[in-house]
């Protein structure tokens, strides 16, 4: 099995996970993965992520030119490609509309509380990117300032965007993001989300910085 064949199948598998978990309704959401230095595999537009076939995934260059595949890549291609051009170490990007996280995005609230040790280590804070029209060059540029220090962002009135060293890590960050959003909301309903104590929180943040420094 070639690397491209495997990566196409993995993108479809992640699409099924996103759809099954209710994080992308109808044809929404998009997934991409870096095949090599010049080539990105990306999902097509107007296709449910739960029912994609490997041959529907398109190969594009970093300028968005379709190299292989039929149809049109997702309308969010400019945002994906801008991420890859900005950071050569990023190997996967996932954009979806998980309900809890999207609710925070619609409310204009970042996920910046440190509530759960695992979330602090593997995700950290999730800032809010000011609204720009979906699919626009303006949205692609708006994401850039967050790429160095974060692993995920909320897109105001839109959804969530996660990236990672590969597409599976990007998806796992999406799962963690939605879990954190749910815990934050439920704990607030119960009377208030209480952050971790200062010293353990500082230690966890230091561990996170160390792991990121090693490529985590």
């Amino acid at each position: 099995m070639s690397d491209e064949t495997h990566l196409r199948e993995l993108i479809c598998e992640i699409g099924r996970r996103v759809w099954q978990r209710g994080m992308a309704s109808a044809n929404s959401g998009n997934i991409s993965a870096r095949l090599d230095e010049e080539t990105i595999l990306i999902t097509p537009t107007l296709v449910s992520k739960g029912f994609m076939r490997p041959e529907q995934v398109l190969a594009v260059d970093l300028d968005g030119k379709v190299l292989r595949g039929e149809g049109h890549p997702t309308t969010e291609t400019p945002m994906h490609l801008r991420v890859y051009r900005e950071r050569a170490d990023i190997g996967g990007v996932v954009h979806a509309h998980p309900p809890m996280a999207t609710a925070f995005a619609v409310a204009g609230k970042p996920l910046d509380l440190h509530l759960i040790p695992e979330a602090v280590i593997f995700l950290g804070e999730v800032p809010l990117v000011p609204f720009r029209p979906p699919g626009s060059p303006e949205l692609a540029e708006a994401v850039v300032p967050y790429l160095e220090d974060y692993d995920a962002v909320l897109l105001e009135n839109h959804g969530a965007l996660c990236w990672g060293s590969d597409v599976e890590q990007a998806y796992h960050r999406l799962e963690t993001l939605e879990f954190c959003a749910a815990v934050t909301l439920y704990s607030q309903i119960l009377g208030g989300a209480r952050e971790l104590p200062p010293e353990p929180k500082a230690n966890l943040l230091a561990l996170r910085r160390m792991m990121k420094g090693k490529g985590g």
Side-chain angles (χ1 to χ4, degrees), residues 10-161:
L10 180 58
I11 288 172
C12 290
E13 169 59 27
I14 289 173
R16 283 189 289 272
R17 296 183 210 170
V18 169
W19 182 80
Q20 288 169 346
R21 292 178 66 95
M23 295 193 288
S25 61
N27 299 328
S28 69
N30 29 83
I31 304 162
S32 66
R34 192 190 293 272
L35 179 62
D36 55 45
E37 290 183 359
E38 303 295 332
T39 311
I40 306 298
L41 298 182
I42 197 163
T43 52
T45 190
L46 298 177
V47 174
S48 170
K49 303 304 148 320
F51 300 91
M52 283 189 304
R53 302 187 306 276
E55 61 269 21
Q56 292 178 300
V57 176
L58 294 101
V60 301
D61 65 18
L62 289 173
D63 293 320
K65 179 183 177 182
V66 175
L67 305 175
R68 294 182 291 282
E70 299 179 2
H72 300 281
T74 170
T75 55
E76 297 290 4
T77 296
M79 180 170 64
H80 286 251
L81 297 183
R82 190 68 183 87
V83 172
Y84 291 115
R85 289 198 300 268
E86 188 68 21
R87 278 185 51 186
D89 60 316
I90 289 177
V93 178
V94 180
H95 165 55
H97 307 143
M100 294 288 185
T102 302
F104 277 83
V106 170
K109 296 181 180 297
L111 285 166
D112 55 3
L113 299 178
H114 302 101
L115 305 178
I116 305 167
E118 292 80 5
V120 173
I121 294 172
F122 295 115
L123 190 62
E125 297 179 8
V126 182
L128 182 72
V129 177
F131 180 79
R132 299 290 186 274
S136 68
E138 292 80 10
L139 177 59
E141 287 302 318
V143 169
V144 172
Y146 303 90
L147 293 175
E148 184 64 31
D149 296 327
Y150 301 97
D151 296 322
V153 293
L154 297 177
L155 305 175
E156 188 175 21
N157 289 90
H158 187 172
L161 181 71

Side-chain angles (χ1 to χ4, degrees), residues 3-4 19 24 49 85 99 123 173 177 182 185 197 208-209 216:
D3 289 343
E4 182 168 344
W19 182 80
K49 303 304 148 320
R85 289 198 300 268
L123 190 62
R173 286 172 172 167
L177 170 59
L185 179 61
R208 170 173 167 76
R209 288 191 294 272

